[in-house]
Amino acid sequence: MPRGRLFVVAGPSGAGKGTLIEELLRRYPTAWLSISATTRKPRRGESDGVQYFFLDEETFRARARAGEFLEWAEVHGSLYGTPRDSVKEHLEKGEDVILEIDVQGARQVREKVPDAVGIFVMPPSIEELERRLRGRGTESDCEIARRLRNAREESKASGEYRYVVVNDDLRRARKEICAIYEDESPL
């Protein structure tokens, strides 16, 4: 059985990574979205083991020391990591795996899995990104300001990725990310 491909989708918070990944999963139901672990508090409507594995900081750090994460990083004041064993299990079964992670984590994955397909999702502008973040209604003004500062820095890393998708028109961006998936996946 062929080994699955690893797709790393990164970009600033609010760029639309999740929306584009939803389209990939809808069109290609055999792809598997890795569930990250985090120390941040759940947002309204999030459940443990569905959107994230919500851990306290002590547990997270113990798992990181034990090498249980493919990658991990501190982002926006919280810890995030990708459980290594579940990714490995799905890849070995021949399934494509999608990671929705930050720029720091993507760099770690690239070091460990050089053939991972990197896709950077770019917002059309910082103003549009701010509008999207405010529209979510999940972060304070202070948190939004921090995410916007981080977005400016993260956007500088877009050249490190094989593909860049500018999410200025959702229909076009969906088509583009699906075309990338089809080109890179041994369907």
Side-chain angles (χ1 to χ4, degrees), residues 35 95 114:
I35 300 171
E95 297 173 359

Side-chain angles (χ1 to χ4, degrees), residues 77-111:
S78 297
L79 300 170
Y80 292 83
T82 302
R84 176 189 306 276
D85 288 346
S86 56
V87 170
K88 182 180 176 187
E89 174 187 329
H90 285 272
L91 288 173
E92 287 177 351
K93 287 194 300 189
E95 297 173 359
D96 290 334
V97 174
I98 301 170
L99 305 182
E100 180 182 351
I101 59 177
D102 72 291
V103 169
Q104 296 173 70
R107 286 179 179 135
Q108 293 175 47
V109 171
R110 221 175 7 260
E111 287 176 15

Side-chain angles (χ1 to χ4, degrees), residues 5-23:
R5 294 293 312 261
L6 182 61
F7 290 82
V8 176
V9 181
S13 178
K17 299 180 299 290
T19 301
L20 296 178
I21 289 170
E22 284 175 9
E23 179 68 12

